């Protein structure tokens, strides 16, 4: 029984970390129409910045600043925001696809840096001994994880309420107006580039926050944790949950994460030991199929915006082809 | 050392140029950034590998100093056909349906999903280990002082040049090629003049996928065959297409060469591990300074 409870607590903590990322993506894609496929890059920047700032003395690479938890969290968010500015400024004026290409580029580059720039990131060995907040006050692992889950719920509610207020404010309405028709929004004096950049940076900051919390929860990070598949998972979460709905992003995060861990267990149980290495590939194929089917048959997801406005966005040049 | 890295860059550039042509064609005619294009390279390399293995691989006679014989020639033709079929199947199953929904960017997400699906199918079917077309070890010869290349590498560069010339003749001399260019310029106008757009879409995939397949074989021949190879090359291909100007075939060739040479020359200054980051940095610079690329016309 205890085993089950600790498993569920562990599952929910990770699901809520993913949910924060999905919420960040929802602001970028769901409300602003920005196509970010370098989510894992911003997540990694948050995780590494937090780890470098918050760790006690480190050997062989930068770190040992011993910053308090909240301050390091803030540092991680700022750093992710700066990276988002670097990617956003050259690309957000151009057509959508360029941002997509640039974000995948930054994610690849960040992974390269994590792997190779050892003095900064610890290289392939990664960073150990990442502190957890208030860990000394708990004697049992389960007790601490329950506390961490509580903290995650608090942060998630905070992010959710914050985002809901933002998207329902005049600012949020401008975002959606730009998404639907940039020329019309421009004609009433709204600078599309500036609003897009704001939305992109705020979304990236949330991804950085999520990365920092992840690093703190698992206490150890290395480059192998930041593979492109993570970006894909978050996209699947948002599309399944319904882009344009913050609640949808959270529901999608829990569902897709359950599907991911569930399919992992099933694959492990079904496959003989000698082809276990292929298990991960099969898991990815399962998630890929779910994403494709959602896109093809339920493009608005479970809880997505009902209004059909987004559909009229850019008329594909050859939309009339069968 | 400079000459050697330059030669390496030209060899990588030949592979990139062929890959980038397909990317820029689909971008221009189908109007979306196809993130699954890298997977076509991977599948192209593996389709060819099946044939080479089926023929007993290395045992057969080889062409002079080259590491391969007739099996690889058959494999090149086979992989061009199979990769084209694969591309058309993916288009029919996914992109065709999404084109009707008018949400352009969901095409991009779908292509991103398709790329992961295709890549992991390779892992499931062929396994994660690297493969080679030949076990023969090639001796690099000195063609200029300080510049050593293998006969296979010379073959790669020569065949790229021949294919580019053939493509040029196809696009400028044949009716189909002209129709493809017309469609890229203005789809509605092309349709009004009686061009069958469905046919053009099919041929865009065939040309793009065949060149991608050959590029995949080139990479397998000069480096190795890996399930991740296409994904790893994707950033280079996009950088090449953007640098040359999206939609321009000649731009893609030029872009492929520039990116290939720049990536290999960067080894003089920084660790070779950062090659993709070099391509990415160049791409960002182009987007900042001249977003339409060197030979591109459209800014939007």
């Amino acid at each position: 029984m205890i085993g089950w409870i600790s498993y569920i607590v562990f599952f929910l903590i990770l699901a809520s970390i993913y949910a924060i990322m999905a919420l960040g993506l929802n602001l970028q894609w769901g409300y602003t129409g920005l196509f970010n496929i370098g989510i894992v890059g911003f997540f990694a920047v948050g995780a590494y910045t937090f780890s470098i700032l918050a760790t006690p003395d480190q050997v062989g690479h930068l770190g040992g600043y011993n910053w308090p938890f909240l301050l390091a969290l803030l540092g991680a968010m700022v750093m992710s925001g700066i990276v988002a500015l670097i990617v956003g400024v050259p690309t957000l004026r151009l057509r959508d696809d360029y941002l997509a290409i640039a974000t995948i580029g930054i994610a690849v580059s960040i992974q390269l840096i994590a792997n190779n720039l050892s003095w900064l990131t610890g290289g392939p060995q990664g960073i150990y001994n990442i502190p957890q907040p208030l860990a000394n006050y708990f004697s049992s692992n389960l007790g601490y994880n329950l506390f961490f889950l509580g903290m995650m719920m608090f942060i998630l509610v905070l992010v959710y309420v914050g985002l809901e207020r933002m998207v329902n404010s005049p600012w949020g309405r401008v975002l959606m107006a730009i998404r639907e028709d940039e020329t019309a929004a421009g004609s009433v004096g709204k600078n599309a580039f500036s609003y897009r950049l704001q939305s992109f940076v705020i979304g990236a900051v949330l991804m950085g926050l999520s990365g920092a919390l992840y690093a703190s929860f698992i206490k150890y990070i290395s480059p192998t944790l930041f593979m492109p598949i993570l970006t894909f998972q978050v996209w699947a979460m948002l599309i399944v949950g319904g882009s344009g709905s913050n609640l949808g992003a959270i529901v999608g995060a829990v569902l897709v994460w359950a599907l991911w861990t569930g399919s992992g267990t099933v694959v492990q149980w079904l496959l003989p030991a000698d082809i276990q290495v292929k298990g991960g590939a099969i898991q990815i194929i399962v998630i890929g199929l779910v994403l494709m089917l959602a896109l093809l048959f339920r493009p608005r997801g479970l809880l997505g915006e009902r209004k059909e406005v987004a559909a009229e966005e850019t008329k594909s040049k050859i939309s009339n082809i069968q | 050392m400079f000459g050697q890295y330059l030669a390496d860059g030209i060899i990588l550039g030949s592979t990139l140029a062929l890959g980038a042509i397909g990317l820029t064609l689909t971008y221009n005619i189908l109007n979306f950034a196809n993130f699954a294009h890298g997977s076509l390279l991977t599948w192209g390399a593996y389709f060819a590998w099946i044939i080479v293995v089926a023929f007993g691989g290395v045992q057969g006679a080889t062409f002079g100093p080259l590491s391969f014989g007739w099996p690889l020639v058959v494999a090149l033709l086979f992989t061009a056909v199979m990769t084209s079929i694969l591309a058309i199947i993916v288009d029919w199953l996914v992109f065709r349906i999404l084109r009707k929904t008018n949400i352009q960017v969901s095409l991009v997400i779908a292509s991103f999903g398709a790329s992961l699906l295709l890549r992991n199918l390779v892992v499931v079917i062929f396994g994660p280990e690297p493969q080679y077309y030949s076990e023969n070890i090639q001796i690099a010869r000195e063609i200029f002082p300080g510049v050593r290349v293998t006969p296979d590498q010379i073959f790669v560069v020569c065949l790229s040049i021949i294919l580019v010339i053939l493509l040029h003749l196809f696009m400028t001399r044949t009716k189909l090629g002209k129709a493809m260019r017309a469609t890229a310029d203005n789809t509605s106008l092309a349709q009004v003049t009686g061009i069958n757009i469905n046919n053009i879409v099919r041929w865009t995939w065939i040309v793009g996928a065949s060149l991608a397949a050959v590029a995949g074989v080139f990479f397998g021949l000069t480096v190795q065959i890996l399930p991740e190879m296409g994904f790893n090359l994707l950033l280079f291909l996009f950088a090449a297409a953007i640098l040359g100007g999206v939609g321009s075939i000649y731009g893609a060739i030029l872009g492929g060469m520039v990116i290939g040479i720049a990536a290999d020359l960067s080894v003089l200054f920084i660790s070779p591990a950062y090659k993709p980051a070099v391509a990415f940095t160049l791409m960002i610079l182009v987007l900042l300074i001249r977003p339409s690329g060197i030979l591109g016309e459209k800014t939007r």
Side-chain angles (χ1 to χ4, degrees):
Chain A
M1 191 62 197
I2 292 291
W4 270 103
I5 292 174
S6 10
Y7 184 75
I8 288 171
V9 169
F10 184 81
F11 170 86
L12 285 176
I13 291 173
L14 284 176
S16 51
I17 286 171
Y18 276 99
I20 293 175
M21 261 190 288
L23 283 170
L25 180 65
N26 190 32
L27 181 65
Q28 294 179 338
W29 166 245
Y31 288 104
T32 326
L34 301 175
F35 193 63
N36 178 358
I37 46 174
I39 298 168
V40 64
F42 302 103
F43 182 72
V45 167
Y48 271 98
T49 312
F50 175 85
S51 306
I52 289 168
L53 292 177
T55 41
D57 281 340
Q58 296 278 323
V59 185
H61 61 86
L62 202 67
Y65 295 99
N66 242 328
W67 281 24
F69 179 73
L70 285 178
L71 214 57
L73 218 54
L74 199 69
M77 291 161 76
V78 169
M79 202 61 201
S80 305
I82 292 172
V83 174
L85 271 179
I86 295 171
V87 185
V89 168
T91 50
L92 285 173
R93 289 176 209 273
L94 307 168
R95 59 173 274 177
D96 315 328
D97 310 10
Y98 285 101
L99 180 70
I101 299 164
T103 48
I104 205 170
I106 193 86
V108 169
S109 304
I110 286 168
Q111 234 248 336
L112 288 175
I113 291 172
N115 234 327
N116 295 295
L117 210 61
S118 301
W119 66 265
L120 179 68
T121 62
Q125 278 84 39
I127 299 178
Y128 290 87
N129 292 332
I130 300 164
Q132 296 186 314
L134 307 179
N136 299 334
Y137 295 90
F138 294 88
S139 50
S140 79
N141 208 6
L142 177 61
Y144 183 74
N145 281 358
L146 274 171
F147 158 75
F148 204 98
L149 181 62
M151 183 180 80
M152 285 306 304
M153 290 300 142
F154 177 71
I155 295 174
L156 192 60
V157 167
L158 216 62
V159 170
Y160 174 78
V161 172
L163 281 173
E164 278 293 305
R165 294 187 73 160
M166 278 161 72
V167 297
N168 291 317
S169 70
W171 183 82
R173 285 195 290 275
V174 174
L175 283 189
M176 283 179 267
I178 291 168
R179 183 193 66 189
E180 300 311 332
D181 190 339
E182 190 183 330
T183 323
S187 69
V188 290
K190 303 298 179 195
N191 180 350
F193 171 68
S194 159
Y195 278 91
R196 280 208 185 110
L197 192 62
Q198 291 168 33
S199 159
F200 186 63
V201 169
I202 296 170
V205 163
L206 289 177
M207 291 162 192
L209 169 68
S210 160
L213 291 166
Y214 180 70
S216 171
F217 177 60
I218 62 168
K219 296 193 284 188
Y220 159 68
I221 54 170
S222 75
T224 51
L225 296 172
F226 305 103
M227 298 304 233
I229 177 63
L230 196 139
T231 298
F232 187 59
Q233 288 168 333
V234 178
W235 267 99
M237 288 166 182
L238 184 62
I239 300 291
V240 168
S243 66
S245 156
N246 286 325
L247 198 60
I250 297 173
V251 172
V254 177
L255 282 180
V256 171
W257 185 238
L259 183 69
W260 177 261
T261 49
S263 66
T265 317
V266 172
V267 162
Q268 248 176 16
W269 181 63
L270 283 179
L271 284 187
D274 52 323
I275 53 167
Q276 282 288 333
V277 274
K278 294 180 176 177
I282 294 173
Q283 257 182 304
I284 295 173
I285 291 172
V286 169
I287 294 284
L289 283 176
V290 167
L291 177 81
M292 296 297 229
L293 293 176
L295 273 176
L296 290 175
F297 298 109
R298 208 178 162 83
R300 308 249 160 262
L302 296 173
L303 299 168
E305 278 182 308
R306 288 282 158 252
K307 281 186 288 179
E308 285 289 314
V309 273
E312 266 119 40
E313 199 184 342
T314 334
K315 271 223 161 186
S316 176
K317 240 166 60 171
I318 45 171
S319 51
N320 45 356
I321 297 173
Q322 292 310 300
Chain B
M1 288 312 273
F2 180 82
Q4 182 63 53
Y5 289 129
L6 185 67
D8 291 346
I10 291 172
I11 294 153
L12 176 62
S14 311
T15 309
L16 296 181
L18 292 189
I21 290 171
L23 193 61
T24 214
L25 270 180
T26 40
Y27 205 142
N28 204 11
I29 293 177
L30 305 172
N31 209 24
F32 76 102
N34 180 15
F35 282 84
H37 196 71
S39 298
L40 294 181
L41 265 80
T42 314
W43 274 92
Y46 276 94
F47 279 135
W49 181 74
I50 297 174
I51 293 293
V52 171
V53 169
F55 272 96
V58 294
Q59 276 78 24
T62 59
F63 298 135
L66 297 173
S67 73
F68 54 85
W70 280 109
L72 195 88
V73 178
V74 178
L76 275 171
L77 294 174
F78 174 78
T79 191
V81 173
M82 290 305 287
T83 311
S84 302
I85 293 174
L86 178 71
I88 290 173
I89 291 175
V90 172
D91 182 65
W92 192 78
L93 280 178
V94 182
F95 302 140
R96 176 187 59 106
I97 300 168
L98 288 176
R99 271 200 294 271
K100 281 192 258 177
T101 65
N102 278 354
I103 309 175
Q104 191 193 9
V105 182
S106 69
L107 275 169
V108 185
I109 311 172
S111 76
F112 186 60
S115 95
L116 273 155
L117 273 179
L118 290 171
R119 172 153 60 111
N120 286 287
L121 277 175
V122 169
V123 177
V124 171
I125 296 171
F126 299 99
E129 321 70 28
Q131 309 285 358
Y132 298 89
Y133 290 118
S134 161
E135 307 288 314
N136 294 352
I137 294 176
Q138 285 223 303
I139 297 156
R141 296 149 195 240
E142 201 158 30
I143 48 165
F144 292 108
V147 180
R148 292 178 164 274
V149 291
T150 64
D152 281 4
Q153 292 174 326
I154 296 177
F155 165 78
V156 162
V157 175
C158 291
L159 187 56
S160 300
I161 295 171
I162 294 170
L163 285 175
V164 164
I165 294 171
L166 285 178
L167 182 71
H168 169 77
L169 293 176
F170 171 73
M171 294 302 266
T172 50
R173 301 290 158 84
T174 65
K175 205 169 179 198
L176 189 60
K178 287 178 188 168
M180 279 171 75
R181 281 159 55 213
T183 311
D185 270 351
N186 188 330
T187 311
S188 318
L189 200 60
Q191 214 167 8
V192 169
T193 56
I195 290 171
N196 179 352
I197 304 286
N198 284 320
N199 195 35
I200 297 298
V201 169
R202 205 171 306 127
W203 276 97
T204 305
W205 285 115
I206 290 173
V207 173
S210 302
L211 291 174
V214 175
V217 175
F218 282 0
F219 193 79
L221 210 52
T222 51
V223 189
Q224 58 182 191
I225 313 168
L226 259 184
E228 299 88 49
M229 58 183 268
F231 187 81
N232 294 343
L233 283 172
L234 193 63
L235 195 55
F236 290 95
L237 297 179
F238 271 120
I242 289 176
L243 184 77
V246 168
S248 159
I249 291 174
Y250 309 106
I253 298 163
L254 184 71
M257 276 295 161
V258 171
I259 294 291
I261 292 170
D264 269 319
L265 284 185
S266 73
V267 176
L268 289 167
F269 311 103
I270 52 171
S271 151
Y274 290 111
K275 276 185 197 176
V278 171
F280 171 67
T281 313
L282 274 176
M283 184 177 86
I284 290 287
L285 286 178
V286 171
L287 288 179
L288 272 173
I289 300 162
R290 192 179 155 84
S292 57
I294 303 173
L295 300 178
E297 297 140 24
K298 295 179 189 166
T299 26
R300 174 62 219 175

